[in-house]
């Protein structure tokens, strides 16, 4: 089934240009939307995907042991123990065609966001000549770093609508040869933010075949891969072939280990891409302090805290199942910690966001703020709200009960 892809920028609002509006933070826009109102009840915030579960016990002692390393400039490549820990974790967690080489196929990141941003620039420089204006494809809705990176790279941003009709993943059948021939890279998120959809092995295999045929990079955002309540999501690396060519995955400890403020992640995959990536990072990207990399070594060597983390999310999704039922098109997501609710019959996403804040003291984010307008005038996020189930289970249950009472 053909879907409409959009290559424009959203219309501006007020004195903000169209380009500026397209790159604005959805959280800032939500703050502006709610500014005229006061929460009707004690505030419960479900708008920001910031994990609130406890920080692992080993963080403090590891930092203390390596405190003197704050006196060193970190290497952009990452310390050897970090790269080996990541390579071991990838080989243990996923069914890879072969083990990842920690020397050439892993790079440390200052969190996945900056890595995704700089990856777009690297792809545009490294991919070679395109047949037409270079383009970077991305799901719509999408993580704002994708669009910002594509814009910084001077590439056309092509938005691929992810709707209930296509399982909330970009429709690969809708991509014509003319577009793919000028594609530099495609961002894919699995599990997806905000819908929680997970790409199957077959999906990744088909995408890899397109990348090899047309010579573009797959930039696979997998930072939610360890947050699931039933089946463990796979990785694009599992379908990348023995040399991982044209595939780079991005991970972070923010969600997996409840360390959003530590800003440590990694990129792994295509060694030619990563060599070019390292060249750019050596002069432009933020480095990762050595003590934090040692914490990451401990984190990637321990699964007990990750399973405890999943258990806490499982409890909250069980509550969502009970309280929401089938309301608002709710379906338990395959991965991630977000809930994507259809409120088109309750006045739309902005109206529902205001009502929940003003009447119930529940802060959510309008789905249209997470997406861009397609060429046909539609916005795939319009009519939805996103909830991040990051608070404790008691607060989550209270927020969900308030939501149902207010919207019903």
């Amino acid at each position: 089934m053909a879907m409409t892809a959009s290559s424009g920028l959203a219309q501006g609002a007020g004195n903000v240009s169209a380009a500026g509006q397209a790159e604005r933070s959805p959280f800032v826009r939500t703050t502006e939307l709610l500014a005229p109102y006061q929460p009707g009840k004690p505030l419960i915030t479900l708008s920001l995907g910031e994990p609130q579960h406890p920080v692992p016990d080993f963080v403090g002692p590891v930092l203390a042991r390596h405190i003197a390393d704050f006196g060193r400039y970190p290497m952009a490549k990452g310390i050897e123990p970090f790269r080996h820990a990541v390579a071991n974790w990838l080989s243990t967690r996923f069914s890879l065609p072969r083990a990842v080489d920690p020397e050439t196929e892993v790079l440390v990141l200052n969190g996945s966001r900056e890595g995704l941003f700089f990856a777009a620039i690297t792809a545009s420089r490294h991919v070679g000549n395109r047949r037409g204006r270079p383009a970077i494809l991305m799901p719509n809705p999408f993580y704002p770093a994708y669009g910002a990176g594509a814009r910084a790279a001077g590439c056309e941003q092509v938005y691929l609508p992810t709707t209930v009709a296509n399982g909330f993943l970009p429709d690969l059948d809708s991509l014509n040869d003319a577009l793919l021939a000028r594609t530099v890279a495609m961002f894919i998120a699995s599990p997806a933010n905000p819908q929680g959809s997970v790409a199957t092995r077959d999906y990744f295999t088909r995408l890899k075949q397109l990348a090899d045929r047309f010579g573009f990079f797959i930039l696979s955002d997998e930072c939610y891969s360890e947050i699931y309540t039933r089946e463990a999501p796979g990785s694009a690396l599992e379908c990348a072939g023995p040399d991982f060519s044209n595939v780079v995955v991005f991970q972070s400890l923010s969600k997996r280990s409840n360390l959003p403020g530590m800003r440590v992640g990694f990129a792994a995959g295509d060694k030619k891409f990563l060599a070019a990536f390292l060249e750019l990072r050596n002069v432009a990207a933020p480095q990762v302090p050595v003590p934090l990399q040692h914490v990451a070594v401990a984190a990637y060597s321990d699964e007990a805290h990750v399973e405890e983390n999943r258990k806490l999310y499982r409890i909250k999704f069980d509550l969502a199942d009970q309280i929401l039922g089938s309301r608002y098109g709710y379906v338990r997501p395959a991965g991630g910690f977000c809930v994507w609710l259809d409120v088109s019959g309750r006045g739309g996403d902005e109206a529902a966001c205001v009502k929940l804040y003003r009447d119930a003291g529940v802060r959510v984010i309008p789905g249209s703020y997470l997406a861009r307008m397609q060429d046909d005038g539609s916005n795939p996020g319009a009519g939805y709200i996103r909830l991040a189930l990051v608070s404790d289970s008691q607060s989550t249950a209270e927020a969900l009960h308030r939501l149902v009472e207010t919207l019903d």
Side-chain angles (χ1 to χ4, degrees):
M1 178 178 62
M3 303 295 292
T4 302
S6 172
S7 58
L9 290 172
Q11 295 298 312
N15 62 355
V16 180
S17 68
Q21 181 72 1
E23 301 300 340
R24 295 186 72 221
S25 164
F27 304 105
V28 172
R29 294 179 66 189
T30 301
T31 297
E32 293 172 352
L33 174 70
L34 299 178
Y37 311 100
Q38 293 295 319
K41 295 181 179 180
L43 183 63
I44 302 176
T45 297
L46 303 181
S47 55
L48 184 62
E50 181 181 58
Q52 299 295 305
H53 296 166
V55 170
D57 292 340
F58 56 74
V59 173
V62 173
L63 281 176
R65 287 198 300 272
H66 296 278
I67 199 75
D69 286 329
F70 277 116
R72 299 167 50 197
Y73 283 122
M75 293 190 304
K77 186 176 183 178
I79 61 175
E80 183 177 355
F82 173 84
R83 288 182 281 109
H84 277 269
V86 165
N88 289 337
W89 178 76
L90 284 169
S91 295
T92 302
R93 169 65 174 83
F94 301 106
S95 299
L96 303 184
R98 65 165 172 80
V100 171
D101 180 1
E103 295 303 317
T104 62
E105 295 173 337
V106 176
L107 287 180
V108 71
L109 300 176
N110 193 280
S112 61
R113 178 168 64 176
E114 61 88 4
L116 293 161
F117 175 85
F118 282 106
I121 299 172
T122 301
S124 70
R125 295 178 177 182
H126 185 63
V127 76
N129 293 330
R130 300 285 86 187
R131 298 177 186 173
R133 183 184 176 189
I136 291 181
L137 316 184
M138 63 199 74
N140 193 22
F142 63 98
Y143 186 45
Y146 307 163
R151 186 179 178 200
C155 295
E156 181 180 0
Q157 301 166 56
V158 178
Y159 307 125
L160 307 176
T162 56
T163 66
V164 66
N166 54 24
F168 295 117
L169 289 170
D171 180 7
L172 301 182
D173 293 331
S174 72
L175 307 178
N176 60 59
D177 287 5
L179 173 60
L180 292 171
R182 61 188 183 91
T183 296
V184 165
M186 177 172 167
F187 283 106
I188 182 71
S190 178
N193 176 9
Q195 308 100 328
S197 49
V198 169
T200 64
R201 189 179 187 88
D202 178 65
Y203 187 97
F204 277 134
T205 297
R206 292 180 61 210
L207 182 55
K208 162 68 172 171
Q209 290 169 347
L210 291 175
D212 288 347
R213 178 184 170 195
F214 291 95
F216 64 84
F217 291 105
I218 299 168
L219 305 178
S220 187
D221 181 354
E222 301 177 5
C223 71
Y224 287 93
S225 71
E226 304 314 289
I227 308 300
Y228 57 89
T229 61
R230 290 172 180 163
E231 295 183 12
S235 169
L237 284 181
E238 295 177 312
C239 308
D243 57 359
F244 304 125
S245 63
N246 296 326
V247 178
V248 183
V249 303
F250 298 81
Q251 280 277 1
S252 168
L253 290 176
S254 296
K255 278 71 178 180
R256 176 188 184 274
S257 298
N258 298 311
L259 293 169
M262 200 171 83
R263 312 312 305 142
V264 179
F266 68 82
D270 186 317
K271 64 182 179 182
K272 292 181 180 178
F273 180 94
L274 291 180
F277 199 24
L278 179 58
E279 287 296 322
L280 176 61
R281 300 185 63 75
N282 269 323
V283 297
Q287 300 154 295
V288 181
V290 172
L292 302 189
Q293 293 188 55
H294 282 291
V295 173
V297 171
Y300 282 119
S301 303
D302 177 74
E303 291 297 318
H305 76 286
V306 185
E307 178 52 40
E308 177 62 22
N309 197 29
R310 278 195 290 270
K311 184 178 78 172
L312 296 176
Y313 283 117
R314 192 176 299 120
I315 291 169
K316 288 182 282 189
F317 276 107
D318 287 345
L319 289 169
D321 291 349
Q322 297 164 17
I323 297 168
L324 295 177
S326 60
R327 292 180 178 89
Y328 327 117
Y330 168 75
V331 176
R332 188 180 183 123
F337 52 51
C338 293
V339 170
W340 191 236
L341 300 181
D342 183 351
V343 292
S344 55
R346 272 76 175 177
D349 54 331
E350 287 185 318
C353 179
V354 169
K355 185 174 180 62
L356 286 170
Y357 183 75
R358 184 191 60 207
D359 298 348
V362 176
R363 184 179 176 121
V364 300
I365 193 162
S368 60
Y369 292 6
L370 299 169
R372 300 291 181 265
M373 188 178 292
Q374 301 287 150
D375 285 340
D376 62 2
S378 66
N379 181 317
Y384 288 87
I385 54 174
R386 191 193 78 171
L387 287 58
L389 304 190
V390 292
S391 298
D392 61 81
S393 58
Q394 183 176 354
S395 298
T396 299
E398 173 65 19
L400 293 174
H401 279 301
R402 289 188 203 173
L403 182 148
V404 170
E405 291 168 1
T406 303
L407 295 185
D408 275 9

